[in-house]
Amino acid sequence: MNNSTEILFYIGQIISAVSIVIVLIATIILFIKKRSLATWLILIGYVLVVITYVAKLFVSVFAGREGMDTLLLTQGISSIVQNLSYLIFAVGLIIFAISEFTTYKSNTKLPKT
């Protein structure tokens, strides 16, 4: 790989890290504003996403030293764990959206005709 190709990968990682931090801040704000089962799941799921993202970076470095088979195995396992974390986040988000929509719909009044 030449330097221009490496820069592309670094830019991608920087954008990914910034977006992860922004979504983490948003989940914390959402949790502070409204504490419910849905926001708990959203927060826990995304904190697990952040932990697995950081752990995946470190584990890949150490697993790469052991050999290609170890690297592929650890990447597969960390991918499953990270996607389970996203699943928890997504379930919390769906519960939150459904609960907010039904709350909004029940609180609105129809205009009199």
Side-chain angles (χ1 to χ4, degrees), residues 50-94:
V50 171
I51 290 170
T52 56
Y53 177 79
V54 171
K56 188 176 184 179
L57 294 174
F58 288 114
V59 169
S60 293
V61 170
F62 294 117
R65 294 179 183 168
E66 296 295 320
M68 189 57 97
D69 291 336
T70 307
L71 177 64
L72 292 174
L73 180 66
T74 55
Q75 284 182 341
I77 291 171
S78 63
S79 177
I80 290 170
V81 172
Q82 190 170 28
N83 286 321
L84 285 173
S85 303
Y86 275 120
L87 181 65
I88 294 169
F89 174 79
V91 167
L93 192 60
I94 290 220

Side-chain angles (χ1 to χ4, degrees), residues 12-66:
Q13 287 295 327
I14 290 169
I15 292 170
S16 177
V18 168
S19 64
I20 285 175
V21 169
I22 290 171
V23 174
L24 180 63
I25 291 169
T27 58
I28 292 170
I29 292 170
L30 183 65
F31 178 74
I32 291 170
K33 295 285 185 182
K34 183 172 184 174
R35 293 185 184 197
S36 65
L37 173 65
T39 56
W40 273 104
L41 287 174
I42 290 170
L43 182 66
I44 290 169
Y46 211 74
V47 166
L48 289 173
V49 167
V50 171
I51 290 170
T52 56
Y53 177 79
V54 171
K56 188 176 184 179
L57 294 174
F58 288 114
V59 169
S60 293
V61 170
F62 294 117
R65 294 179 183 168
E66 296 295 320

